[in-house]
Amino acid sequence: MLLITAEGDTKNLTVNLLNLVIPLSMEIPVFTVDAFTNVPFKGNPAAVCLIENELDDELYQSISAEMNLSETAFITRQTSMDFSSGARFGLRWFSPKTEVPLCGHATLASAAVLFYIKNNVNPVVVFETVSGELYVRQNGDSIIMDFPLNNPKPQDQNEVKELLRAAVGDLPIQDVCYSETTKKLMVRLADTCDRSELMSLKPKAEALLRHETTGKIRSLIVTLKGAQNAETGHDFYSRVFAPWVGVPEDPVTGSAHSVLAGYWSEKLGKKKMLAYQCSSRGGELRLEIRDDGRLDISGQAQIILQGTLKF
């Protein structure tokens, strides 16, 4: 029993300790990182949390909803002693609505925190994820991620014609492909289209959700061949819409390029490509398909915010 006496009051108040709820506080370092850009407020922002031990999935999801970015990454120490000297870490990604199986920009952001903030001493760090081991290394002012190559297969347009109309309207379509591994539908606009038409697309999330309810598709990629004579030399452009996971448009998407790289490599006859994702923020990715069938995705990152989650 606990005896509490109010000041100026002769009456004692007795409280049963068993009825007291004492909250346990938690503090988690958190960072916001703009990925696939060399300037702040461009590219794709991701939240990165450093976790000493695994949390409940419900808590991961609550934190991600609070961050309200396309993805929040959670790095766990696993068997590493700390974030500065360890070479192997756990990594999970959550959108505001659900866990995602693969996320490029949040992986790039996670590596940036380890390399630039924690000054990790290793030239290569390994992330253990549901998509396998992802090796990440520094290369000058860029970070290179070793990703799986998810080549898409042709998709019958008639099976998704209403979804296509909701996404691109009356613009002519050259190819439609689907990656079963990533659940991404890729739509290539005809070469008669230009970048301005791609950038002008404004598909409504409600319409996309209405025309795809099977759970087969988690995001929709719209892509266009690059202007080969352009000064930028971009091999192809893209935009990515993912309302099925709570992201109306993903600004710059590394996992989408694990699908796009294989497709465009075959069409262009190139293993090294420069890609640009044409969201309002915009971002650039360097891609190289290696001889072992894996994909190197290279980009830069800017850490713009660091703090502590307290709850």
Side-chain angles (χ1 to χ4, degrees), residues 135-273:
Y135 290 74
V136 185
R137 66 188 188 275
Q138 293 189 76
N139 181 33
D141 58 1
S142 294
I143 292 174
I144 301 176
M145 303 180 292
D146 170 8
F147 260 46
L149 188 62
N150 296 301
N151 292 318
K153 296 181 180 179
Q155 166 76 41
D156 184 353
Q157 294 189 31
N158 289 324
E159 293 181 3
V160 289
K161 62 181 180 180
E162 296 301 328
L163 179 62
L164 296 179
R165 180 171 291 276
V168 303
D170 295 325
L171 290 180
I173 294 172
Q174 183 156 333
D175 281 330
V176 178
C177 299
Y178 176 70
S179 167
E180 185 174 0
T181 305
T182 63
K183 293 188 176 182
K184 298 183 188 297
L185 184 71
M186 190 208 79
V187 182
R188 176 186 174 181
L189 298 178
D191 293 345
T192 53
C193 298
D194 61 28
R195 177 174 164 174
S196 65
E197 290 175 295
L198 173 62
M199 294 182 68
S200 67
L201 292 177
K202 296 180 180 179
K204 294 182 178 180
E206 297 81 3
L208 297 180
L209 291 170
R210 185 169 62 252
H211 294 300
E212 165 48 40
T213 59
T214 66
K216 180 181 177 181
I217 297 170
R218 292 173 67 96
S219 68
L220 187 146
I221 307 166
V222 184
T223 187
L224 177 70
K225 185 178 179 181
Q228 298 300 300
N229 296 324
E231 292 182 4
T232 60
H234 292 126
D235 291 292
F236 63 88
Y237 307 114
S238 67
R239 289 178 68 187
V240 177
F241 307 96
W244 299 276
V245 295
V247 183
E249 179 170 7
D250 207 358
V252 193
T253 322
S255 61
H257 285 78
S258 74
V259 177
L260 288 162
Y263 174 86
W264 282 112
S265 175
E266 179 182 344
K267 299 300 180 183
L268 300 175
K270 304 175 69 172
K271 287 193 172 184
K272 293 184 178 181
M273 293 164 286

